[in-house]
Amino acid sequence: KQWYQRRVRVKEPDRIKCHWDYLLEEMQWLSTDFSQERKWKKAAARKLAYAVAKVFEEREAAKRKKLQDEEKKLKKIANKIAKEVMKMWSAVEKVHKYKQE
């Protein structure tokens, strides 16, 4: 074996933290904080966008429902008018038959 393979591994003594070490720790913390905040903001924006889309879909659905209800109402009115017209013409037909006899 070579001499560098046989050498004894010695642990270096612990260093006392200096200003630079604290600065690097703060930078690392700030980096993770920024990335977490960015993720949170994207999630919040996505949630808000879905909520806005849902509100607009509900408004469109309410408009369609209102139009359908209005159309149903008009059809009922038209149906009643048609029945009244049929009654009137059947009465006219009866009078006409009576006069013919």
Side-chain angles (χ1 to χ4, degrees):
K1 289 186 175 184
Q2 298 292 329
W3 66 271
Y4 55 83
Q5 291 176 338
R6 288 180 293 176
R7 68 187 167 145
V8 177
R9 305 266 173 166
V10 177
K11 183 182 176 226
E12 290 187 26
D14 292 336
R15 280 187 330 118
I16 297 174
K17 284 187 175 181
C18 64
H19 174 71
W20 190 252
D21 295 326
Y22 289 111
L23 182 72
L24 290 176
E25 280 182 12
E26 182 73 17
M27 287 172 62
Q28 187 176 5
W29 174 83
L30 202 56
S31 171
T32 56
D33 186 49
F34 269 79
S35 66
Q36 290 298 321
E37 189 171 351
R38 187 171 45 251
K39 286 179 186 177
W40 175 80
K41 284 185 177 182
K42 281 184 179 180
R46 185 180 307 115
K47 200 174 193 179
L48 188 61
Y50 282 126
V52 168
K54 185 177 178 183
V55 166
F56 278 101
E57 285 177 15
E58 288 173 354
R59 283 185 184 173
E60 286 297 318
K63 283 181 186 178
R64 283 192 301 270
K65 176 93 168 111
K66 187 177 177 182
L67 288 174
Q68 287 175 349
D69 290 346
E70 187 68 28
E71 191 175 328
K72 280 183 182 180
K73 183 179 172 184
L74 291 174
K75 282 184 179 181
K76 282 184 180 181
I77 292 171
N79 191 11
K80 287 181 182 178
I81 291 172
K83 284 182 182 178
E84 291 296 321
V85 169
M86 288 298 290
K87 281 183 187 178
M88 192 250 334
W89 281 112
S90 84
V92 168
E93 188 178 357
K94 287 179 185 177
V95 170
H96 179 67
K97 282 185 182 180
Y98 178 74
K99 285 185 176 182
Q100 293 259 333
E101 294 177 2

